[in-house]
Amino acid sequence: MERLSTLSRFKNICPFLGRTQASTLRMLSTSSSPQFPSLSCLTERATKCPIMGPALQMRSTQLVAGYASVAGQEDVQKIHHSKGIYPGNFAADADITKCPHASAARAAARMAEELAAASAAEKGDVKAEKAAAGGCPFHKAATPPRPVEMPDTRPVTEQHTSGAFDYAQFYAAELEKKHKDQSYRYFNNINRLATKFPVAHTANAKDEVEVWCANDYLGMGNNPVVLETMHRTLDRYGAGAGGTRNIAGNSALHLSLEKELASLHRKPAALVFSSCYVANDATLSTLGAKLPGLVYFSDASNHASMIQGIRHSGAKKVIFKHNDLEDLESKLKMWPRETPKIIAFESVYSMYGALTFLDEVHAVGLYGPRGAGVAEHLDFNAHLEAGQNSKAIKGSVMDRVDIITGTLGKAYGTVGGYVAGSKNFVDMIRSYAPGFIFTTSLPPATVAGARASVIYQKYHMGDRALKQINVRKVKEKLAAIDIPVVPGPSHIIPVLVGNAGLAKAASDKLLVEHGIYVQAINYPTVAVGEERLRVTVTPRHTSEQIDGLVKALDNVFAELGINRVSDWTKLGGRANVGVPEASAVEPIWTDAQINIAGNQETLRDGQEAVIDTAAARAVHKEFEVLLGPTEMSEVGREADTVVFAGAMELAADAMPRNAPRTYIPFDRAEAPLAAPVAVAA
């Protein structure tokens, strides 16, 4: 805002500023130039102006000279010492950032060089004047060297005069690439509040924002049943596991979690890892190294963890088009039936002569009557009827998939990953996978919390059904105002932006001006030109919060001039948005399946989330052996109080006003005994 108010003072003087809209100026002044990252897009454009170009060169030279003059003063050592800095002859890059003026000098010098480069691109070679560094040992090091000419795409770095490789310059050059192609990742300081989900605070504990992009899809990270279990486990078993599984970290808690996960997927066995990335990498690399002549058939859109595991295995790899069964079949036929094969994918296929490896990382907890994922959901009624029986349902999709991997860090709200399959398969991975053998096992409280979350969701379908209801509401409201959403059947809402700089600007604007945290997703996670805002709706988001999100997106799209669906249609479409012939995508959850979960309604502000008492009792029962019996939890007491108080009100309304009263003992309280009367439901 301060930059814009400064620019507005010169609108009457500069023709460009005068005719350019404020929203455009805001975008130009807050977006870095792709070619010259230390300059804003507005400053880069100004270098082409016959008036502003020379003025920018002069001012940048003055800044560089000013920092150099400070560096040359006799009291420079006092400046350093006052900051706790005692420099020697060599200034490391990390030390430069501590110096009160050298870091600023480096920034000024970098800007001066890029201003010169930008001006040279317009007029010819103009060199920025450099002031000599004086008494500050950091100042010379703070001045960035001239970029090295790169004849090919491989990074080339300078070396120290001593002949040693310049590692610091190499790191800087690699980071510079990220800045230039706008794929550099910025991490926001977001601290989710357990008692206010989905609210978090930023670096300032008093600055609260709404979180709309977390992977804690169901809010289980602060579910009171999960937290209670973790607190009790922490008090009984302490903080850490004590080592790897083969040393001291193989506890009853770990074994019971693996048994729970095997039961969830109706498989004989399961194995827990520190994350699903590690689970995929360790499993695929081990299988590829051990199965003789193995060939992997990998979906073109597989997750990085699967790609890495296949690469580490050293096995042959054949890539088939994303979700293209015909392409997969044609490539399978090219190999003899006796050749060991594994099909690695994130969707569901059934192929003869090959092991199937299904990554359910984004699906566990969210699909299926017990939350086992898409494979369970495809046979919804059969699994619903089977209930909590751990035996496989012969012929079902989940039974036909050989290996299933999942995460405990998304819908289950904790951390960790796992694989499930046959006993011998799991035992082989346990015995050979370095990613399992040499990693300290997960802490007891984390393992207990994960198991409590899995059990709770096995017995309670309401959370995932309400999530689907809220997802549909947001999609409908965004469609009504022409906001582009990349079509898909899942619970994630990808809002298409189509430009990396605009996606970052939109994310920043939502956070700073609207108190809404939505992360921008850029290359390499998505293709260039398909940059987006990744919105995830939870069952804990309220109706008012949903309306606030939609209004904020509408405002940001208008202010930044981001394309809407109608704009993409005129351009021929992008990422299946604005494509006339594109067929409608049906959600995975049907209306009938949602209705099975009961009458779920979006929460209103101030309304408490529902805690299912039957699911809570199931969790308590499963942990009685290790943690002992528990008194009625605070959650149970609150639910009991609500039910009891409501029943008392109904009974009181139905009683005859003048009926004679007789009192009998009733535990901790006394209730009037009246003649039997009908009570309305």
Side-chain angles (χ1 to χ4, degrees):
M1 294 301 294
E2 184 180 348
R3 179 79 178 268
L4 284 178
S5 62
T6 302
L7 293 175
S8 64
R9 292 163 45 200
F10 301 102
K11 276 183 170 285
N12 294 331
I13 301 173
C14 175
F16 175 78
L17 295 178
R19 68 173 181 265
T20 305
Q21 294 181 354
S23 60
T24 304
L25 289 175
R26 183 184 295 109
M27 184 188 70
L28 290 172
S29 62
T30 57
S31 303
S32 62
S33 162
Q35 190 174 1
F36 308 105
S38 69
L39 309 180
S40 70
C41 292
L42 184 63
T43 301
E44 181 191 7
R45 184 167 295 193
T47 61
K48 302 174 183 179
C49 173
I51 305 298
M52 281 296 293
L56 285 168
Q57 286 290 328
M58 181 180 295
R59 182 56 183 151
S60 66
T61 302
Q62 290 172 349
L63 286 173
V64 174
Y67 286 115
S69 66
V70 172
Q73 294 173 5
E74 293 181 358
D75 61 347
V76 68
Q77 290 296 339
K78 294 180 181 179
I79 299 176
H80 293 140
H81 294 172
S82 68
K83 301 292 182 180
I85 304 169
Y86 299 89
N89 294 327
F90 176 75
D93 187 74
D95 297 327
I96 293 167
T97 61
K98 301 176 184 177
C99 178
H101 57 80
S103 57
R106 175 166 59 181
R110 182 182 290 119
M111 181 174 288
E113 290 206 350
E114 294 200 344
L115 279 169
S119 179
E122 180 69 14
K123 301 178 182 178
D125 186 20
V126 180
K127 294 184 178 179
E129 181 182 347
K130 288 188 178 180
C136 174
F138 293 135
H139 190 82
K140 184 176 181 180
T143 305
R146 290 281 183 181
V148 180
E149 296 253 342
M150 297 185 182
D152 55 37
T153 57
R154 296 174 59 186
V156 180
T157 56
E158 296 183 14
Q159 295 183 343
H160 292 296
T161 53
S162 63
F165 186 82
D166 190 345
Y167 296 100
Q169 175 59 20
F170 171 78
Y171 305 146
E174 291 300 304
L175 289 172
E176 193 70 8
K177 293 178 186 177
K178 286 286 185 183
H179 283 291
K180 284 187 175 181
D181 66 13
Q182 297 186 329
S183 66
Y184 183 80
R185 295 177 185 265
Y186 296 89
F187 298 150
N188 286 310
N189 189 334
I190 299 295
N191 307 271
R192 300 188 310 137
L193 298 168
T195 59
K196 291 186 177 182
F197 182 89
V199 174
H201 71 72
T202 62
N204 180 353
K206 296 181 180 180
D207 182 18
E208 294 187 350
V209 298
E210 292 173 15
V211 178
W212 284 91
C213 61
N215 287 339
D216 188 0
Y217 296 130
L218 301 177
M220 293 302 292
N222 51 71
N223 179 289
V225 179
V226 173
L227 296 183
E228 176 196 53
T229 304
M230 295 182 74
H231 280 298
R232 294 174 66 206
T233 306
L234 185 63
D235 291 339
R236 184 171 179 83
Y237 293 107
T244 60
R245 291 285 290 273
N246 66 313
I247 294 178
N250 190 50
S251 73
L253 289 165
H254 294 81
L255 296 172
S256 60
L257 173 59
E258 290 171 343
K259 183 178 179 181
E260 198 71 57
L261 294 168
S263 172
L264 174 68
H265 294 287
R266 306 191 198 275
K267 297 292 184 186
L271 192 66
V272 171
F273 291 79
S274 56
S275 73
C276 194
Y277 189 103
V278 175
N280 284 347
D281 184 11
T283 302
L284 290 170
S285 61
T286 301
L287 286 171
K290 292 298 178 183
L291 283 169
L294 175 70
V295 178
Y296 275 111
F297 293 82
S298 178
D299 189 294
S301 295
N302 272 344
H303 188 265
S305 60
M306 301 171 74
I307 296 171
Q308 194 77 342
I310 293 171
R311 182 182 294 124
H312 286 165
S313 74
K316 294 178 181 178
K317 176 180 66 176
V318 176
I319 299 174
F320 62 93
K321 297 176 184 177
H322 178 54
N323 283 354
D324 191 326
L325 186 57
E326 185 177 339
D327 186 47
L328 172 60
E329 287 179 333
S330 67
K331 289 175 177 175
L332 279 168
K333 291 176 181 177
M334 297 170 62
W335 295 84
R337 187 178 180 86
E338 62 271 15
T339 299
K341 311 174 192 70
I342 293 179
I343 306 168
F345 52 90
E346 297 180 43
S347 295
V348 178
Y349 305 114
S350 177
M351 301 300 301
Y352 62 93
L355 285 174
T356 45
F357 181 104
L358 173 62
D359 180 0
E360 291 266 37
V361 64
H362 284 285
V364 288
L366 296 173
Y367 298 94
R370 300 179 308 136
V374 172
E376 182 186 52
H377 201 97
L378 293 175
D379 296 300
F380 192 96
N381 292 333
H383 286 284
L384 180 65
E385 185 178 345
Q388 303 304 331
N389 191 324
S390 62
K391 292 183 179 179
I393 299 176
K394 296 300 181 183
S396 67
V397 173
M398 195 157 68
D399 179 53
R400 298 201 306 269
V401 175
D402 299 291
I403 302 166
I404 295 176
T405 67
T407 182
L408 303 168
K410 297 187 189 303
Y412 292 126
T414 55
V415 67
Y418 62 89
V419 295
S422 70
K423 285 186 177 179
N424 283 344
F425 155 72
V426 168
D427 199 18
M428 192 199 78
I429 299 300
R430 184 189 69 86
S431 302
Y432 284 99
F436 173 82
I437 296 170
F438 300 107
T439 299
T440 298
S441 59
L442 292 171
T446 300
V447 173
R451 187 184 176 212
S453 185
V454 172
I455 295 170
Y456 185 92
Q457 286 301 324
K458 282 172 69 176
Y459 284 87
H460 179 54
M461 205 188 308
D463 284 343
R464 44 191 175 275
L466 181 53
K467 177 178 175 61
Q468 294 296 321
I469 292 170
N470 288 350
V471 167
R472 292 184 184 187
K473 282 189 176 182
V474 173
K475 285 185 176 181
E476 289 169 2
K477 288 177 180 289
L478 292 178
I481 57 173
D482 210 27
I483 296 291
V485 173
V486 178
S490 82
H491 54 279
I492 297 172
I493 304 177
V495 177
L496 179 65
V497 177
N499 176 275
L502 279 177
K504 177 67 167 60
S507 175
D508 291 344
K509 200 170 186 61
L510 285 167
L511 183 64
V512 174
E513 298 181 14
H514 299 275
I516 289 175
Y517 174 50
V518 179
Q519 186 62 34
I521 306 298
N522 298 332
Y523 176 84
T525 306
V526 296
V528 174
E530 295 186 8
E531 294 82 2
R532 61 197 63 178
L533 300 173
R534 183 182 183 274
V535 176
T536 54
V537 191
T538 75
R540 302 278 288 278
H541 281 99
T542 66
S543 181
E544 291 83 359
Q545 288 172 334
I546 289 173
D547 289 341
L549 169 72
V550 173
K551 183 178 180 181
L553 283 170
D554 191 21
N555 290 339
V556 169
F557 265 64
E559 291 174 8
L560 296 181
I562 301 174
N563 284 347
R564 303 208 181 208
V565 177
S566 53
D567 299 312
W568 288 118
T569 302
K570 294 175 184 177
L571 295 170
R574 179 78 59 83
N576 288 328
V577 171
V579 180
E581 63 274 14
S583 57
V585 179
E586 294 298 323
I588 296 175
W589 278 82
T590 66
D591 292 343
Q593 291 165 350
I594 290 176
N595 291 335
I596 291 174
N599 185 23
Q600 306 296 324
E601 294 183 357
T602 304
L603 297 173
R604 307 287 303 193
D605 280 352
Q607 188 177 354
E608 294 292 331
V610 174
I611 301 300
D612 188 82
T613 53
R617 289 192 196 100
V619 173
H620 292 151
K621 181 179 179 181
E622 290 296 332
F623 279 91
E624 277 187 4
V625 173
L626 293 177
L627 303 181
T630 178
E631 298 178 359
M632 182 179 287
S633 67
E634 183 179 347
V635 175
R637 285 195 299 271
E638 289 178 359
D640 182 73
T641 300
V642 171
V643 172
F644 185 80
M648 287 291 291
E649 289 178 5
L650 290 171
D653 290 341
M655 282 184 194
R657 297 301 178 189
N658 299 318
R661 296 188 175 187
T662 304
Y663 289 90
I664 61 171
F666 185 74
D667 290 340
R668 300 178 299 276
E670 290 188 334
L673 180 65
V677 293
V679 179

